[in-house]
């Protein structure tokens, strides 16, 4: 219990990194309560027949992005004063600042379709600051498609989250890469962070595993059976094709990018035993880091420093999480029991998320759940409790969310949650979907 | 009465021994509960002779069961509790017999390999010899592993020695060892574990004198299971080093 309390404090510090500072600056609240945010539907200011559908797409995405961010308490739309709000002139702050809405912040605006262009104006008002309420005013113009309505909503949401979330960039425009068998083969797929726009990236007709996007979003490293045994394959998102990457022989898999994009760590059995190796981003300057018999897989870099690597080793029996310096020295085992796999290092370097069957063996039917551990103190907390096999956690770039795979709804599907285990949301529903990887920005 | 009691205590002792031994050896098997004696679980055996035929030839399936009320063979249908039948499939087939009784159900499988008939022989002496592939299918025996383990079990030493003798007698035969894992555990870790299993078989063969260049190794982790049910007997089928003729 004590362990949980301590880690809760740590987690709180993670989820709200610099909110207190921000709150002093804007003078909108005190303490650790979430900011109450109201977002009335954007007012349609054009007669074009497409306006209503685009406005609905925009409003749904904006509200969902702000709700998913984990830093706001969204005021229910049923509490809002009557009357559409399309601009500052329509706002009566006293109606919003008092119950029932009792909002601290108000985001509003207008949407119009003019010829082929979609125009959105958005504002963010500090309800308590009657003298000078405007925090943000933004204008967007794109061609009039539903995709662009979604994109503009993501951008405006990210502006609000950046401004009110302690200067941490939002994730509304980030992507998730994962493996799906929907085409009959295990291929690399991509989708928006909220599960929208799911589409295949590769069409190789082989088995693809463990996709990892490069920090600059230009390439995806994954393991592929295309040339016989599993090897690292490199897909260019700019060229939409495989690009050259050397074959190391043996079973070579689970590539992981350093956060500066210059190096890749991976597992290879080229010596006859699976070990951890590091090479540069083009596959040159190969260096072996481990040399103990038994499976060694799934390396990840500490993205803050790129000076440490966490990985999974079966050298002591059932797989456990280990960490070492990125030159292979100072090896430490950090899980003490059970079956621990699939580490993911948080962007600030403080936490490892991983999948753990903590109690393993006869009489202890454990489930595989997602845990996070504070690397310095080795204190951990369990994030999933809802059954099924949960595996392959991956941190969002803001460090506030984790995407993972779970069988709790039947087959393997992708889910996301806040890094405190709340707001668990299923993102995929068809086929079998696994091994999600969150883009770096 | 006394005799019966004695019998019962022997049975309990046997059960306890199984539970203890089983508990030590295979950690994943929960100890059998010493509850009321359940109806006897059905038993079934299924075999095919010969195990490999040329296309168009026929083979004989033979089966026997005990304590089963309903016996069926996939692709054939309901059959007598024991019997035999001549089959002549056009492709290699795995026959699965399911015996269901009051004590549950049990599966037995038998694999019949169908070989393309060799092209008309240009040399008369080629006629008699079976193809390398058929010989391989008959002789190379897969090696099975315990949960999360990649060391060879003591009881498989004889099998690996027989495999080694066969491969040494046919030095021109290139082959692949596939490492496989059951569905439990994590995808990437199982890829590495499968690699360790295939390499354990490879090392044992090389130690027994099989030339390394005859062998290729590939791990499929849990990507290509032989059997897809979530039962221990199925998982055991999937934890194996599988010998495949040729090198892709």
């Amino acid at each position: 219990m004590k362990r949980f309390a301590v880690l809760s404090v740590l987690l709180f510090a993670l989820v709200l990194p610099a909110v207190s500072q921000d709150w002093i600056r804007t003078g909108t609240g005190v303490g650790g309560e979430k900011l109450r945010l109201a977002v009335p539907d954007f007012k349609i200011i054009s007669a074009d027949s497409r306006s209503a559908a685009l406005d609905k797409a925009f409003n749904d995405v904006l509200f969902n992005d702000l709700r998913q961010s984990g830093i706001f308490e969204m005021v229910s739309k049923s509490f809002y004063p009557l009357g559409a709000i399309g601009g500052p002139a329509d706002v009566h702050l006293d109606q919003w600042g008092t119950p029932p809405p009792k909002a601290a912040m108000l985001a509003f605006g207008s949407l119009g379709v003019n010829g082929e262009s979609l125009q959105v104006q958005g504002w963010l008002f500090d309800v308590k600051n009657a003298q000078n309420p405007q925090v943000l005013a933004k204008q967007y113009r794109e061609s009039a498609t539903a995709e662009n309505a979604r994109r503009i909503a993501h951008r405006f949401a990210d502006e609000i989250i950046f401004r009110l979330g302690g200067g941490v960039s939002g994730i509304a425009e980030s992507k998730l890469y994962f493996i799906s068998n929907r085409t009959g083969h295990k291929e690399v797929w991509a989708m928006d962070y909220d599960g929208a726009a799911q589409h295949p990236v590769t069409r190789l007709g082989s088995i693809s595993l463990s996709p990892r996007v490069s920090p600059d979003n230009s390439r995806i490293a994954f393991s592929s059976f295309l040339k016989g045994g599993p090897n690292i394959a490199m897909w260019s998102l700019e060229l939409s094709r495989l690009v050259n990457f050397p074959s190391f022989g043996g079973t070579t898999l689970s590539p992981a990018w350093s956060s500066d994009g210059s190096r890749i760590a991976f597992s290879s059995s080229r010596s006859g035993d699976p070990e951890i190796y590091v090479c540069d981003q083009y596959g040159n300057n190969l260096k072996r880091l481990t040399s103990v018999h038994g499976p060694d897989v799934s390396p990840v870099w500490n993205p803050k420093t790129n000076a440490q690597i966490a990985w999974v080793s079966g050298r002591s029996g059932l797989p456990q999480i280990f960490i070492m310096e990125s030159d292979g020295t100072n090896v430490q085992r950090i899980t003490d029991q059970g079956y621990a796999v699939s580490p993911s290092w948080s962007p600030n370097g403080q936490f490892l998320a991983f999948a753990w069957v903590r109690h393993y063996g006869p009489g202890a039917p454990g489930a595989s759940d997602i845990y996070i551990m504070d690397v310095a103190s080795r204190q951990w907390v369990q994030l999933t409790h809802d059954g099924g096999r949960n595996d392959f956690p991956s941190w969002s770039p803001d460090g506030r969310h984790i995407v993972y795979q779970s069988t709790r709804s039947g087959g393997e599907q992708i889910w996301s949650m806040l890094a405190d285990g709340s707001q668990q949301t299923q993102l995929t529903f068809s086929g079998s979907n696994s091994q999600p990887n969150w883009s770096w920005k | 009465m006394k005799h019966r009691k004695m019998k019962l205590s022997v049975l309990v002792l046997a059960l306890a021994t199984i539970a203890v031994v089983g508990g030590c050896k295979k950690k994943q098997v929960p100890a059998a509960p010493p509850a009321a004696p359940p109806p006897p679980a059905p038993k079934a055996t299924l075999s095919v002779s010969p195990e490999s035929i040329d296309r168009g030839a026929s083979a004989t399936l033979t089966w026997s069961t005990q304590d089963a009320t309903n016996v069926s063979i996939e692709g054939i249908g309901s059959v007598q509790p024991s019997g035999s039948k001549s089959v002549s499939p056009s492709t290699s087939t795995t026959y699965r017999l399911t015996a269901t009784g009051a004590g549950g159900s049990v599966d037995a499988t038998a694999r019949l390999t169908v070989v393309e008939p060799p092209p008309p022989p240009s040399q008369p002496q080629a006629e008699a010899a079976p193809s390398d592939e058929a010989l391989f299918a008959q002789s190379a025996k897969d090696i099975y592993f315990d949960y999360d383990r990649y060391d060879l079990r003591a009881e498989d030493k004889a099998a690996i020695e027989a495999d080694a003798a066969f491969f040494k007698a046919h030095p021109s035969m290139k082959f692949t060892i596939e490492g496989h894992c059951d569905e439990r555990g994590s995808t990437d870790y199982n890829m590495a574990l499968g690699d360790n299993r295939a390499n354990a078989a490879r090392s044992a063969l090389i130690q027994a004198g099989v030339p390394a260049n005859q062998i290729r190794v590939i791990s499929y982790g849990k990507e290509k299971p032989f059997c897809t049910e979530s039962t221990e007997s199925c998982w055991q089928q999937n934890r194996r080093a599988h010998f495949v003729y040729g090198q892709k």
Side-chain angles (χ1 to χ4, degrees):
Chain A
M1 198 58 210
K2 191 181 165 198
R3 165 181 281 177
F4 182 79
V6 171
L7 202 62
S8 297
V9 172
L10 285 169
L11 256 181
F12 184 75
L14 168 81
V15 172
L16 301 168
V19 156
S20 56
Q21 242 181 14
D22 194 57
W23 281 26
I24 289 165
R25 183 167 59 79
T26 57
T28 52
V30 288
E33 284 171 27
K34 287 183 178 178
L35 207 52
R36 279 177 70 83
L37 174 63
V39 190
D41 286 348
F42 275 43
K43 186 178 179 182
I44 300 170
I45 53 164
S46 63
D48 192 287
S49 60
R50 290 166 295 174
S51 306
L54 294 177
D55 193 51
K56 179 168 189 335
F58 175 88
N59 287 322
D60 288 350
V61 170
L62 179 63
F63 196 88
N64 185 56
D65 283 350
L66 295 168
R67 189 170 55 82
Q68 290 289 352
S69 72
I71 59 172
F72 301 117
E73 182 185 346
M74 300 302 288
V75 179
S76 166
K77 289 192 177 182
S78 61
F79 289 166
Y80 293 176
L82 294 175
I85 297 181
D90 302 332
V91 175
H92 301 284
L93 286 178
D94 50 334
Q95 286 181 344
W96 291 95
T98 53
K102 203 166 170 274
M105 286 283 170
L106 176 68
F108 60 92
S110 64
L111 178 147
V113 178
N114 193 349
E116 281 313 301
S117 98
L118 168 66
Q119 292 173 30
V120 175
Q121 280 193 296
W123 286 268
L124 177 66
F125 270 26
D126 179 350
V127 176
K128 301 264 166 55
N129 189 345
Q131 293 300 313
N132 189 13
Q134 182 171 312
V135 178
L136 201 61
K138 285 279 162 187
Q139 276 195 62
Y140 303 89
R141 183 187 300 228
E142 296 283 347
S143 58
T145 65
E147 191 188 332
N148 281 333
R150 292 179 41 79
R151 187 171 294 158
I152 293 171
H154 283 327
R155 286 186 192 151
F156 188 52
D158 274 352
E159 290 282 356
I160 294 170
I161 292 161
F162 180 74
R163 197 60 66 99
L164 300 181
V168 177
S169 296
I171 53 160
E173 286 203 272
S174 63
K175 303 276 188 248
L176 301 173
Y177 296 94
F178 60 103
I179 298 298
S180 181
N181 69 353
R182 271 176 259 181
T183 57
H185 295 279
K186 281 192 161 185
E187 303 281 5
V188 178
W189 282 56
M191 61 182 166
D192 293 353
Y193 95 102
D194 57 0
Q198 302 188 13
H199 63 277
V201 174
T202 64
R203 290 182 188 276
L204 300 171
S206 179
I207 301 172
S208 301
L209 298 172
S210 50
R212 299 285 178 82
V213 67
S214 63
D216 64 358
N217 286 340
S218 70
R219 282 166 290 171
I220 298 172
F222 60 104
S223 38
S224 166
F225 279 75
L226 202 57
K227 295 174 184 165
N231 258 303
I232 294 178
M234 190 66 77
W235 182 270
S236 166
L237 288 165
E238 288 154 353
L239 303 172
S240 287
R241 63 170 172 82
L242 286 171
V243 292
N244 195 37
F245 198 82
S247 175
F248 295 117
T251 296
T252 297
L253 78 161
S254 63
W257 297 89
S258 63
S259 62
D260 60 5
S262 69
R263 284 178 291 174
I264 295 172
F266 59 94
S267 164
S268 176
S269 68
R270 64 200 311 262
S271 69
D273 186 61
E275 303 287 3
I276 304 298
Y277 292 78
V278 170
C279 63
D280 68 22
Q281 60 176 316
Y282 306 109
N284 301 322
N285 298 312
L286 190 65
K287 186 170 182 254
R288 176 169 162 176
L289 299 187
T290 60
S291 53
V292 178
H293 192 52
D296 288 287
V297 285
S298 307
V300 283
W301 303 79
N302 178 339
K304 187 80 177 173
T305 62
N306 291 320
Q308 283 173 298
I309 286 175
W311 85 105
V312 175
S313 181
R315 61 184 62 187
S316 51
L318 288 170
Q320 304 292 331
I321 310 286
F322 286 69
I323 53 177
M324 62 183 162
E325 305 300 310
S326 55
D327 62 0
T329 60
N330 195 16
V331 170
Q332 298 175 49
R333 176 174 157 179
I334 66 163
T335 50
D336 53 358
Q337 61 176 330
Y339 186 111
V341 290
S342 310
S344 172
W345 214 312
S346 71
N348 66 0
Q350 194 178 352
F351 298 100
L352 277 171
F354 55 97
W356 202 4
V357 184
R358 208 160 72 75
H359 295 294
Y360 206 93
S368 174
D369 277 301
I370 307 298
Y371 289 73
I372 62 174
M373 179 184 277
D374 177 56
V375 178
S377 70
R378 307 281 156 89
Q379 287 173 328
W380 48 260
V381 66
Q382 182 175 352
L383 299 187
T384 60
H385 304 265
D386 303 315
R389 291 189 45 81
N390 304 280
D391 199 355
F392 295 103
S394 174
W395 290 87
S396 66
D398 67 357
R400 287 176 176 138
H401 301 75
I402 291 173
V403 65
Y404 61 102
Q405 78 181 47
S406 177
T407 59
R408 80 182 65 163
S409 62
E412 280 178 351
Q413 299 297 348
I414 311 286
W415 292 64
S416 76
M417 62 182 166
L418 287 179
D420 64 359
S422 65
Q423 287 192 19
Q424 307 221 1
T425 309
Q426 185 172 351
L427 302 179
T428 61
F429 296 88
S430 71
S432 180
N433 304 283
S434 57
Q435 301 196 295
N437 175 239
W438 211 311
S439 69
W440 299 70
K441 55 188 180 184
Chain B
M1 188 62 201
K2 198 177 170 193
H3 183 67
R4 209 180 137 176
K5 223 172 170 176
M6 177 101 167
K7 224 172 156 181
L8 192 70
S9 62
V10 168
L11 189 70
V12 168
L13 190 69
L15 263 177
T17 314
I18 289 167
V20 169
V21 171
C24 292
K25 182 123 195 195
K26 298 184 186 177
K27 289 194 169 173
Q28 79 284 14
V29 180
K43 291 181 183 139
T45 59
L46 178 67
S47 62
V48 60
S49 175
E51 288 183 336
S52 177
I53 55 170
D54 285 344
R55 178 174 296 168
S58 64
T60 307
L61 270 179
T62 310
W63 64 92
S64 69
T65 61
Q66 282 173 31
D67 302 316
T69 51
N70 188 5
V71 181
S72 65
I73 297 176
E74 223 171 74
I76 294 175
S78 281
V79 293
Q80 293 297 311
S82 297
S84 65
K85 183 174 170 56
S86 176
V87 290
S88 181
S90 58
T91 58
S92 297
T93 306
T94 300
Y95 292 94
R96 176 187 299 274
L97 176 144
T98 305
T100 311
S105 88
V106 67
D107 284 359
T109 56
R111 172 90 178 160
L112 175 59
T113 305
V114 177
V115 181
E116 286 284 347
S122 52
Q123 293 171 326
Q125 68 267 34
E127 201 177 337
S131 77
D132 275 3
E133 194 167 356
L135 204 58
F136 187 94
Q138 277 172 27
S139 309
K141 296 278 182 266
D142 290 356
I143 306 294
Y144 296 84
F145 294 85
D146 286 340
Y147 178 71
D148 196 55
R149 301 301 294 264
Y150 51 89
D151 46 341
L152 299 183
R153 303 192 287 212
E155 64 258 39
D156 285 333
K157 289 271 157 41
I160 202 91
E161 276 162 23
D163 285 335
F166 171 74
F167 297 136
K168 280 194 286 186
H170 300 84
S172 64
M173 236 185 232
K174 307 272 190 205
F175 63 96
T176 303
I177 310 177
E178 296 179 357
H180 293 272
C181 301
D182 69 37
E183 62 173 357
R184 297 168 296 172
S186 195
T187 306
D188 289 352
Y189 187 76
N190 276 344
M191 290 296 301
L193 184 62
D195 186 275
N196 276 124
R197 284 178 179 161
N199 268 306
R202 176 180 182 269
S203 299
L205 291 177
I206 289 173
Q207 221 159 45
V210 179
N213 64 7
Q214 215 175 330
I215 314 172
R216 183 175 171 270
V217 159
I218 186 170
S219 174
Y220 282 107
K222 59 174 179 176
E223 301 302 316
K224 290 195 168 181
F226 295 83
C227 172
T228 54
E229 291 152 46
S230 295
T231 61
E232 173 50 33
S233 70
C234 178
W235 290 331
Q236 178 62 82
Q237 283 292 305
N238 292 337
R239 294 192 301 266
R240 69 161 97 178
H242 175 51
F243 295 106
V244 178
Y245 180 78
Q247 295 181 351
K248 271 182 269 181

